[in-house]
Amino acid sequence: MHIAPYDIGGMATSKTTPPSGKKHRIAVIGGDGIGPEVMQEALKVLRAAGAQLETTDFDLGGARYLRDGEVLSDATLAQLRNFDAILLGAVGTPGVPPGVIERGLLLKMRFELDLYINRRPFAGTAPGHIAPHDFIVIRENTEGPYVGEGGVLRKGTPQEVATQGSVNTAHGVERCVRYAFELAATRSRKHLTLVHKTNVLTFAGDLWQRTFDRVAKEFPQVATAYNHVDAACIYFVQDPHRYDVIVTDNLFGDILTDLGGAVSGGIGIASSANLNPAGTGPSMFEPVHGSAPDIVGTGKANPVAAILSAAHMLEFLGEGAMAERVRAACQAPASGSTSQMGDEISARVAN
């Protein structure tokens, strides 16, 4: 297993790592709504930083689906496999039935490209706090309730029965837990918290807890803790400083990371990486905000989340120093329209 040693504030080796000079082949999915707008600014900043990119645009998302029914064909997926990484803006269009794009595009990419780690960093000062926090959530990205196990009987009747199972495998849980321990071991605090609901989800939770305890023995330098997910939601608001690295399952991670964005400056600056650490396929990088169709073309979209997601991509591709410059350029607030913010951050990077 390979872990790109990047961190929320840059990685330990990034200051001394020169640009690789390599041209990276990037698949760009602007998507819907504000997606193409924030993607344009992210690419602008990367090029200002000196990134050598060979980009290919893919027309995918809700608008494409409404036009010709394409979500993500096997042929398109085969094309995506040939790239070094994928940059995604945002997807989602009014008029598309719920689940079509989420399952047919986003989840299909995660499952088929084995993007089994979802990595989301959070740094900021939560409301009501003075000191800033700095933690990372590692979310298992290919299992849990999102695999679609379940069914429905007598739909639409008073006797309807709906089930939705959570699929957890020893292989999937261990590789996620191990990734989190390896990451925690590289950070200064060296602390890892498992978040689950072991008192109620006694089968899945037991697998996670036993795996966590077993792998922990290989990392004696990493201190550990456990929180029920409901307690973790409280701590995110009241005491986010207690966290360094968190590892959790797909559903809990989905919920916690949105809350993490809310207590770290807002969803408009929340970035993410969907990683295939084994390198058997390209990893995918995306801001976690939605497509915001109500502000398309107004210049109100904040491109920082997309820019920071692109910085994750640079780091994962071995461009550590470049990624650190991009992150540093995003530290101070930028003002103006979407494109003006991109221009301002680009100027900081170039200088």
Side-chain angles (χ1 to χ4, degrees):
M1 179 185 296
H2 166 70
I3 292 183
Y6 62 85
D7 214 330
I8 188 165
M11 67 184 190
T13 58
S14 60
K15 292 182 179 179
T16 58
T17 304
S20 69
K22 178 182 177 182
K23 179 171 286 189
H24 303 289
R25 299 184 66 246
I26 308 300
V28 176
I29 304 173
D32 302 310
I34 63 170
E37 298 175 32
V38 297
M39 182 61 63
Q40 179 177 327
E41 302 313 308
L43 292 173
K44 178 195 297 181
V45 171
L46 293 191
R47 292 191 167 107
Q52 299 297 307
L53 305 177
E54 179 183 321
T55 61
T56 301
D57 292 323
F58 284 82
D59 180 14
L60 297 170
R64 172 70 186 275
Y65 171 77
L66 291 176
R67 189 168 67 249
D68 61 17
E70 164 84 2
V71 181
L72 178 60
S73 67
D74 291 342
T76 302
L77 183 63
Q79 288 181 284
L80 291 174
R81 291 184 187 277
N82 296 319
F83 288 85
D84 299 321
I86 302 167
L87 268 179
L88 173 68
V91 291
T93 301
V96 178
V100 171
I101 301 302
E102 293 85 353
R103 298 205 68 85
L105 178 59
L106 298 178
L107 293 186
K108 185 173 181 177
M109 280 198 292
R110 292 177 191 174
F111 296 154
E112 295 295 329
L113 300 177
D114 204 18
L115 308 178
Y116 60 88
I117 295 295
N118 184 274
R119 178 171 170 155
R120 298 192 187 182
F122 299 100
T125 303
H129 294 268
I130 298 175
H133 57 261
D134 174 356
F135 63 90
I136 298 177
V137 176
I138 300 300
R139 163 189 170 191
E140 199 292 316
N141 212 30
T142 59
E143 295 188 347
Y146 292 4
V147 303
E149 191 276 331
V152 62
L153 295 172
R154 298 185 291 275
K155 187 173 183 179
T157 74
Q159 293 77 35
E160 181 172 344
V161 177
T163 64
Q164 195 82 53
S166 178
V167 176
N168 300 265
T169 68
H171 167 70
V173 172
E174 179 171 347
R175 65 182 181 174
C176 180
V177 167
R178 186 172 296 278
Y179 180 99
F181 269 105
E182 292 181 357
L183 172 62
T186 68
R187 289 169 60 88
S188 59
R189 289 179 59 188
K190 293 180 169 51
H191 190 277
L192 178 63
T193 303
L194 170 64
V195 172
H196 211 281
K197 191 69 175 172
T198 56
N199 59 336
V200 175
L201 304 178
T202 54
F203 302 121
D206 179 61
L207 174 58
W208 276 86
Q209 187 69 70
R210 284 187 290 109
T211 304
F212 185 85
D213 293 343
R214 175 169 52 80
V215 177
K217 295 177 182 178
E218 302 176 32
F219 295 87
Q221 73 276 36
V222 176
T224 61
Y226 170 81
N227 290 159
H228 290 324
V229 64
D230 42 351
C233 289
I234 296 171
Y235 296 144
F236 266 43
V237 176
Q238 294 184 347
D239 185 23
H241 311 87
R242 71 169 54 208
Y243 293 118
D244 182 22
V245 180
I246 293 169
V247 64
T248 189
D249 85 340
N250 208 339
L251 177 60
F252 296 149
D254 193 1
I255 296 166
L256 283 174
T257 51
D258 281 351
L259 180 55
V263 300
S264 303
I267 208 73
I269 60 173
S271 57
S272 77
N274 298 271
L275 304 177
N276 178 332
T280 59
S283 294
M284 189 265 283
F285 304 83
E286 59 173 329
V288 302
H289 58 64
S291 59
D294 56 320
I295 61 170
V296 172
T298 65
K300 295 180 180 178
N302 188 339
V304 170
I307 294 168
L308 290 174
S309 297
H312 292 324
M313 181 189 74
L314 286 180
E315 198 92 50
F316 195 74
L317 293 174
E319 304 288 2
M322 197 179 296
E324 187 171 295
R325 293 198 347 258
V326 172
R327 287 197 189 97
C330 292
Q331 290 299 309
S335 59
S337 67
T338 305
S339 62
Q340 289 171 335
M341 292 177 72
D343 290 341
E344 184 175 342
I345 295 170
S346 294
R348 296 175 191 168
V349 168
N351 295 331

